[in-house]
Amino acid sequence: MTNTYAIVLAAGQGTRMKSDLYKVLHPVCGKPMVEHVVDHIIGIGADKIVTIVGHGAEKVEETLGGKSDYALQAEQLGTAHAVQQAENQLGNLDGVTIVVCGDTPLIKSETMQALIAHHSETDAKATILTASAEDPTGYGRIIRDAEGNVLRNVEHKDATAEERSVNEINTGTYCFDNRALFDALKKVENNNAQGEYYLPDVIGILRAENARISAYVTDDFSETIGVNDRVVLSEAEKVMRQRIAEHHMREGVTIIDPNSTYISANTTIGRDTVLQPGTIIEGQTVIGEKCIIGPNSHIVNSTIGNHTTVHSSVIRDSIVGSRTAVGPFAHIRPDSNLSDNVKIGNFVEVKKSRLGEGSKVSHLSYIGDAEVGAQVNIGCGTITVNYDGKNKNTTTIEDGAFVGCNSNLIAPVKIGKGAYVAAGSTITKDVPESSLAIGRARQENKEGYATKLNLK
């Protein structure tokens, strides 16, 4: 079986993005463009991937990690020059090499695989991935002979009026016989206005040597979009959002309104879960089966169990169990862990806390830096007072405890198993197991006081 290699072009600065962030690291549906490309290449089972880096090299390598090898293009002298930087890793190998731009996040593994298969079937030395564009302005045109053989690639600025009428365009993705590629790269010249070495010139060099040049036409032009500015970035985002939503719906997820629902590329969702309008799911999030999420919920890098409801709430970097209810208008902040059958109600904020199975915080409470056991009831308006101005302190509430409304638990403090805290209490000392704690001022009634005030 022929070995397959890949070169990802990711060295350009991307000045049209007008950004401090390196172009190929701009995210599409929460995932950097270049990582989309490399993951799709991994999907075809490539034997070796070399990413050509330049501007922002360290950040690109940090993003991709061990998914790729790297070669540095210290000076940007064109696409052919960029590919040539991989010669040390690939130059002496037999096989097929696919060259893909790092700013084309929409290209699919299936399309790459079809390109490689077509390349092999036609016994070509080079194969161009092409597409039919409604408006081909600015793209290189693919010129074929009467039999459909590829004669040449003509850049738009160099094309005649007849050639500009051709709608088949060069997408910038190629497949080469690996040895033929690196031999031809040595013959590329920079006799152009920019003084750069262009990869499409390899096609002409191979053609002049009577090598067979082929082209594979993808039927989805959107896959070929190269992101060069924020406008195109938004177009790529829209296509990717639709693609992700369709994938989940075909896997058994109900999305009431895909146009108003955002799902990151790294999200996993179980079947029979319903996403309601306005829902935003970001990062490495996993949602179980038969959940109801939304409307207008925002979940980031979190895990949600089965049969759980999240209503108009925010959950970030946390774990939520099964058959748990969150919201409406709750905020689950990072490092929180809600067990199964937990209820977090209206206007409740939970931060860096663990709640045991069956516990309830139904409304208007703040639970921060707390260890809450199972079957605990925390009444309306309860606050774990966790910050003393210097340190965050822990509140521990053991299994079966009952905390009455409007209580302040001054950490560090422990409420024992089965203990009760009377409503309106401020608790500064540990409460023993099965005890009742009352920490509030004694009520005193001043009879006739209101009448006296009215006489004044």
Side-chain angles (χ1 to χ4, degrees):
M1 185 175 178
T2 303
N3 287 334
T4 302
Y5 315 110
I7 297 174
V8 180
L9 304 182
Q13 186 172 6
T15 55
R16 281 185 283 174
M17 297 296 287
K18 292 182 169 56
S19 174
D20 292 334
L21 182 64
Y22 184 43
K23 181 174 78 167
V24 298
L25 294 181
H26 278 265
V28 174
C29 290
K31 185 175 177 178
M33 289 192 285
V34 70
E35 190 172 8
H36 278 290
V37 173
V38 170
D39 284 349
H40 292 149
I41 292 170
I42 291 172
I44 68 173
D47 296 285
K48 183 183 275 294
I49 303 170
V50 180
T51 300
I52 310 301
V53 294
H55 296 283
E58 291 182 0
K59 292 188 178 297
V60 174
E61 293 181 26
E62 181 181 335
T63 297
L64 297 178
K67 293 181 177 181
S68 174
D69 293 335
Y70 304 92
L72 178 66
Q73 186 187 24
E75 187 178 4
Q76 276 66 62
L77 298 177
T79 50
H81 178 258
V83 173
Q84 203 165 23
Q85 306 314 301
E87 186 169 15
N88 287 340
Q89 289 106 317
L90 300 177
N92 294 320
L93 301 177
D94 293 316
V96 172
T97 295
I98 185 170
V99 179
V100 190
C101 294
D103 62 0
T104 55
L106 299 175
I107 189 167
K108 298 178 182 176
S109 298
E110 293 85 352
T111 300
M112 295 184 195
Q113 195 68 64
L115 172 66
I116 294 169
H118 183 81
H119 176 82
S120 299
E121 290 165 4
T122 56
D123 196 28
K125 291 297 183 183
T127 302
I128 308 167
L129 180 65
T130 71
S132 179
E134 291 184 9
D135 179 8
T137 303
Y139 289 97
R141 307 303 205 280
I142 301 302
I143 308 303
R144 298 176 182 260
D145 62 20
E147 287 73 38
N149 299 310
V150 175
L151 295 177
R152 60 190 180 278
N153 170 79
V154 182
E155 295 303 318
H156 177 85
K157 63 180 181 298
D158 300 323
T160 65
E162 182 180 359
E163 289 169 338
R164 289 187 180 187
S165 68
V166 173
N167 282 51
E168 186 180 5
I169 58 99
N170 181 352
T171 68
T173 296
Y174 304 88
C175 191
F176 296 98
D177 174 272
N178 189 65
R179 287 190 181 272
L181 168 63
F182 284 99
D183 287 343
L185 284 171
K186 296 179 177 67
K187 302 170 187 176
V188 175
E189 298 179 348
N190 63 341
N191 299 325
N192 53 65
Q194 286 72 33
E196 295 186 351
Y197 301 88
Y198 294 131
L199 187 59
D201 290 350
V202 169
I203 302 299
I205 290 169
L206 293 174
R207 180 72 181 175
E209 296 173 353
N210 294 319
R212 181 169 176 76
I213 308 299
S214 182
Y216 174 75
V217 185
T218 176
D219 59 3
D220 185 357
F221 177 76
S222 69
E223 284 192 55
T224 70
I225 292 175
V227 177
N228 290 314
D229 59 29
R230 306 292 182 124
V231 174
V232 183
L233 180 65
S234 70
E235 293 172 1
E237 181 88 14
K238 181 179 180 180
V239 173
M240 185 68 77
R241 281 180 60 190
Q242 292 173 337
R243 185 185 294 178
I244 291 170
E246 181 175 329
H247 163 76
H248 287 293
M249 289 188 286
R250 294 193 184 282
E251 292 297 314
V253 177
T254 295
I255 304 177
I256 302 298
D257 181 10
N259 290 328
S260 67
T261 304
Y262 175 94
I263 307 171
S264 76
N266 295 321
T267 293
T268 301
I269 307 175
R271 63 192 298 178
D272 291 321
T273 283
V274 177
L275 303 184
Q276 296 180 334
T279 293
I280 299 174
I281 304 171
E282 297 185 275
Q284 300 278 353
T285 292
V286 178
I287 298 175
E289 298 182 351
K290 297 179 173 65
C291 296
I292 299 175
I293 310 296
N296 302 315
S297 290
H298 188 185
I299 302 174
V300 184
N301 291 324
S302 297
T303 299
I304 313 294
N306 300 323
H307 300 272
T308 286
T309 299
V310 179
H311 184 189
S312 303
S313 296
V314 176
I315 301 174
R316 184 179 295 271
D317 300 303
S318 294
I319 298 172
V320 178
S322 296
R323 298 173 301 281
T324 287
V326 177
F329 314 119
H331 188 184
I332 310 302
R333 291 170 55 191
D335 299 320
S336 295
N337 190 326
L338 312 182
S339 298
D340 297 344
N341 299 299
V342 165
K343 179 183 179 183
I344 302 295
N346 305 36
F347 303 104
V348 172
E349 181 177 352
V350 180
K351 171 254 178 185
K352 199 176 182 180
S353 296
R354 182 183 299 272
L355 277 73
E357 183 168 359
S359 290
K360 300 177 181 179
V361 189
S362 294
H363 30 231
L364 296 161
S365 296
Y366 171 71
I367 308 299
D369 298 282
E371 290 288 335
V372 179
Q375 305 301 325
V376 170
N377 186 88
I378 297 178
C380 172
T382 295
I383 305 265
T384 59
V385 186
N386 57 332
Y387 186 49
D388 61 11
K390 184 177 180 180
N391 299 307
K392 297 290 180 70
N393 300 295
T394 301
T395 298
T396 301
I397 305 174
E398 294 188 335
D399 294 353
F402 184 99
V403 179
C405 296
N406 292 317
S407 294
N408 298 309
L409 309 180
I410 312 297
V413 71
K414 177 180 177 181
I415 311 301
K417 184 176 181 179
Y420 276 69
V421 173
S425 293
T426 294
I427 303 299
T428 59
K429 298 186 295 185
D430 289 353
V431 179
E433 181 177 327
S434 301
S435 299
L436 169 64
I438 304 175
R440 60 194 182 202
R442 183 182 298 276
Q443 181 175 331
E444 183 176 346
N445 297 329
K446 302 288 186 179
E447 294 186 9
Y449 186 76
T451 303
K452 291 178 182 180
L453 286 178
N454 289 335
L455 290 175
K456 290 182 179 180

